[in-house]
Each structure stands twice: as C-alpha cells, then as structure tokens.
Amino acid sequence: EVSVDFEAEPRFWQIWWFRVAGAVLVLTAIVMAYRDRLSRIRAAMNLRFEERLAERTRIAQELHDTLLQGFLSAAMQLQVAADIMPENTASRPLVARALQLMQQVIEEGRNAVQGLRATGSVSVPLESALSQTWRDIGAADSVDFRVIVEGRRRELHPVVQDELYRIGREALMNAFRHARARHVEVELTYAPDSFRMFVRDDGEGIDPAILQNGREGHWGLIGMRERAERLGAQLHVFSRASAGTEVLVELPARVAFYDTAKK
C-alpha cells in the first residue's frame, strides 16, 4: 500500500515576506503618526509665539503712548518748577531727587518697551535666567545652588524656553521656600535627540497627597503639568519624605530646538 502526503499551499498571509512587509507598514504608520504629532506641536508653538509677539508689541505701544509719555510730561513740568525754585529752598534737593528717580524710571521703561518689541528669540540663555532665580526669590545664602549644562548648547525655541523657565522657576521656588533644602541643582542636558531639564534638591520632599493633587489654593504642580502638556513634553516629579525632590522635563529635539523647530 502506497500513501502520498500532499502539503497544502500556505496562505499568502502565512508567507514570511508578507509578515515582514506588514510589520514594516505598521512601524512606518507609527513613525508617521509620531512625526505628524510633532509637526502639530511645532505649528501650535509657532502660532503661540506669533500671538505672544503681537500681544507684546501691543503692550509696548500702550506703555509708550500712556505711561512713558505721562512720565515725560510730568518730568518736564517738575523740571520747570525746579528751575524757578530759589537755590536756598529746603525742598529743592527733594525735587532734584524726584527728577532723578523719574529719569531712571523713564530709562528703565524705555528698555522694557525695547525688550517687548524684540522680535528675535530670547536673548538670555535658559541657564542664565534660572541662575538669576536664586536672587529673585531671595533664597538664603546658606543654600548651595548650582546650574550644570551637559552637551553642546543649542538655541531653544522661544516658546519652549519661556515655558521651561516657568516650570524650572516654580520647581526652584518650592526647593528654596518650602523644602528647606541645603543643596539645589539644575541640570540642563542638550542631547542630539532630546532636551532634558532636571531640578533636584535634598529637602523635605513633597507629601504624596500634594504630589498627586497639588496644594490647596496653590497651582504650582498643576501649572507645571499643564505647561509641559502644552509643549508635548514628559514631566516627572519624584519625591520622598526627607529624601528630596527631582523634577524632570524631557522633550524631543525637533520640538525643543529652534534650528529644528523652525523647519
């Protein structure tokens, strides 16, 4: 007795090359969807940048036409009064001092207006702006504070830099004012494919309930999360009692850096 086995032809979806082609198509679709998301984020950031620029220009114009012109007019009137005031008048030094202060305010106002009208990217690097936070907040001199930059510095998109600065400032305010930290550190990492910002302290840590829902009446953590979400960035806050806090913000290079985001 002779038996013959016939092997059935494999279905086309069972062939190895079809499976490989399907995997490639799925991977391509995922990559395209990711790039499309980045493109939409970049377009939204560019739109916000243009809106902010228009708003800054409007505010600058209003400041120039109202506040600065008012100060100039008042200074001119005060100068006339000082000119006709007798030399031996006791109030003459006070008027002269008032004129000096007004001239200083006018000069600072002009510089502020000029800054609001600036159309370029943010001139102060993020590390410099965050370094200044220590003085702006009025942190104790006993706190060891430093800013570290890793990698080759690249220009950040203006909207990204503004949002990162506000996130970093909020994290530093928590470290300086609430955590009672002795060591506070900011690390900015310029990687080829991403940008990362770390804010670390060795303070008291954040209560888990506050970490989850925020502090009642305060919008610090909530605001940080909202800003990161608008950027399409990943925000992670790690904290334990008596072990300090670390805030990490990470976003892809195509969103973070001006030389790629503007393309």
Side-chain angles (χ1 to χ4, degrees):
E1 181 178 342
V2 179
S3 62
V4 180
D5 295 331
F6 294 95
E7 294 186 0
E9 285 287 332
R11 302 291 185 180
F12 70 91
W13 61 80
Q14 296 175 321
I15 302 175
W16 68 269
W17 59 261
F18 180 84
R19 294 180 178 179
V20 171
V24 170
L25 286 175
V26 171
L27 182 61
T28 302
I30 293 173
V31 171
M32 291 180 64
Y34 177 70
R35 290 185 174 180
D36 179 66
R37 180 172 178 270
L38 291 184
S39 298
R40 283 186 274 118
I41 292 174
R42 290 199 306 271
M45 283 199 309
N46 289 330
L47 179 60
R48 288 209 306 274
F49 178 58
E50 295 298 329
E51 290 174 347
R52 289 186 185 185
L53 185 58
E55 181 66 10
R56 285 158 60 113
T57 303
R58 183 189 66 80
I59 293 173
Q61 186 66 47
E62 290 185 0
L63 286 175
H64 179 271
D65 294 344
T66 56
L67 192 60
L68 280 181
Q69 293 300 326
F71 267 103
L72 284 170
S73 178
M76 292 175 63
Q77 296 295 325
L78 194 58
Q79 184 65 60
V80 171
D83 291 342
I84 63 176
M85 188 176 294
E87 291 288 341
N88 57 353
T89 303
S91 59
R92 187 178 179 88
L94 296 175
V95 174
R97 177 58 179 163
L99 270 171
Q100 182 183 358
L101 290 174
M102 291 183 72
Q103 290 296 334
Q104 181 179 345
V105 170
I106 290 170
E107 185 63 28
E108 291 176 353
R110 282 174 174 162
N111 291 336
V113 168
Q114 184 67 26
L116 285 171
R117 285 183 177 274
T119 58
S121 59
V122 180
S123 58
V124 179
L126 180 60
E127 54 268 25
S128 300
L130 290 174
S131 297
Q132 186 64 32
T133 303
W134 176 71
R135 295 186 179 87
D136 295 342
I137 295 175
D141 294 335
S142 59
V143 177
D144 177 24
F145 174 55
R146 60 177 180 167
V147 178
I148 303 170
V149 177
E150 296 285 347
R152 182 179 64 85
R153 184 185 176 277
R154 297 168 65 181
E155 185 178 0
L156 293 166
H157 191 286
V159 172
V160 172
Q161 175 155 324
D162 184 55
E163 299 286 15
L164 287 174
Y165 169 74
R166 296 176 188 277
I167 293 173
R169 180 183 174 86
E170 183 63 37
L172 288 173
M173 287 181 64
N174 178 73
F176 290 136
R177 290 182 175 176
H178 305 298
R180 299 179 183 177
R182 292 174 298 174
H183 303 279
V184 180
E185 179 180 280
V186 176
E187 180 182 326
L188 306 177
T189 302
Y190 294 85
D193 58 346
S194 66
F195 176 84
R196 295 186 295 274
M197 178 176 71
F198 301 87
V199 181
R200 308 183 184 96
D201 69 69
D202 63 349
E204 297 179 349
I206 304 175
D207 183 271
I210 295 177
L211 191 61
Q212 181 68 28
N213 304 312
R215 192 188 304 271
E216 185 177 357
H218 297 267
W219 301 96
L221 285 171
I222 296 174
M224 290 165 63
R225 292 189 176 105
E226 290 177 348
R227 292 183 186 280
E229 185 177 348
R230 285 198 295 266
L231 289 178
Q234 297 292 323
L235 174 71
H236 303 284
V237 183
F238 310 98
S239 184
R240 289 189 301 170
S242 303
T245 300
E246 178 176 282
V247 176
L248 165 63
V249 186
E250 182 176 11
L251 62 165
R254 294 185 64 185
V255 173
F257 301 126
Y258 191 65
D259 55 359
T260 55
K262 67 182 180 180
K263 293 179 181 180

